Amino acid sequence: ATFLDAQTQTLIRLDNTLVAFSQNDKSYYFINLDTGNIIQKNHETLPNLFKGNAPKEYDKIVFTIDQNRIAEYTVTTDSLSTKDIVFPLEGVNLQDIFVYNRKLYSLDTNNNQIYRHNQTQTGYDKGTAWITDAGIDIKNASSLTIDGDVYVLQNNGEILKFSAGKKQPF
């Protein structure tokens, strides 16, 4: 099937499946890489899927659904539901998330911080401030990724590298 009315902007790999979505589309699309088959799934009850990330275990996708809330698609149940998340500071603007070693890292541009959250039964804990260097400016950041080090993409194209919470030359 072809979905000509799809308004996708983001793509995530979930094992042998690509998942395409955006905050402007009330569906998300699962594309099987082996067969090319596309399955459209509705997420009208949880609109505004903005950013997302799948851990290396490929058992779930964690999505941001607005400035300070998340949702999770679970492979075993084939379902999407909201998850709890709490932040150590008020006024969070959740710009991006990344799951690494079963911990969720959240990029908060309002508070100029990255938080590391542990998984709980109902979502993720309050998190702790991860950036320890003073004077770091990530208020114009748009994305982050992790491979052991944390990389933050600024809106102007600059990439910042952090290791153990401290900025590193890059």
Side-chain angles (χ1 to χ4, degrees), residues 4-81:
L4 298 176
D5 58 342
Q7 298 178 27
T8 57
Q9 295 175 326
T10 306
L11 194 62
I12 294 174
R13 185 172 180 145
L14 186 65
D15 202 11
N16 71 333
T17 302
L18 295 176
V19 180
F21 64 96
S22 84
Q23 62 190 33
N24 300 319
D25 196 323
K26 295 205 179 341
S27 295
Y28 51 152
Y29 305 86
F30 289 68
I31 304 106
N32 185 299
L33 291 173
D34 296 330
T35 65
N37 289 343
I38 302 171
I39 298 172
Q40 179 182 18
K41 298 182 184 199
N42 185 295
H43 64 84
E44 263 184 282
T45 58
L46 291 173
N48 301 323
L49 299 182
F50 179 59
K51 297 273 183 119
N53 182 256
K56 66 181 179 176
E57 294 83 5
Y58 295 129
D59 57 344
K60 64 183 171 184
I61 301 172
V62 181
F63 294 99
T64 60
I65 54 176
D66 60 28
Q67 289 187 333
N68 59 10
R69 295 187 321 135
I70 62 171
E72 187 175 279
Y73 168 81
T74 306
V75 172
T76 55
T77 61
D78 188 28
S79 64
L80 181 68
S81 61

Side-chain angles (χ1 to χ4, degrees), residues 130-159:
W130 187 82
I131 294 177
T132 56
D133 274 349
I136 300 298
D137 183 5
I138 57 170
K139 289 187 185 280
N140 292 311
S142 60
S143 184
L144 83 155
T145 192
I146 302 172
D147 69 356
D149 292 321
V150 174
Y151 300 89
V152 176
L153 176 64
Q154 301 276 53
N155 289 334
N156 65 2
E158 178 185 16
I159 299 173

Side-chain angles (χ1 to χ4, degrees), residues 89-137:
L89 298 173
E90 297 292 318
V92 169
N93 180 32
L94 190 54
Q95 186 61 37
D96 200 6
I97 55 174
F98 197 92
V99 181
Y100 184 77
N101 284 342
R102 303 313 266 180
K103 295 184 185 334
L104 179 77
Y105 291 77
S106 59
L107 174 62
D108 173 12
T109 54
N110 276 359
N111 292 301
N112 216 26
Q113 187 57 263
I114 296 170
Y115 308 110
R116 183 175 58 202
H117 307 265
N118 293 306
Q119 194 168 352
T120 67
Q121 291 287 347
T122 60
Y124 294 89
D125 70 7
K126 179 170 155 180
T128 57
W130 187 82
I131 294 177
T132 56
D133 274 349
I136 300 298
D137 183 5

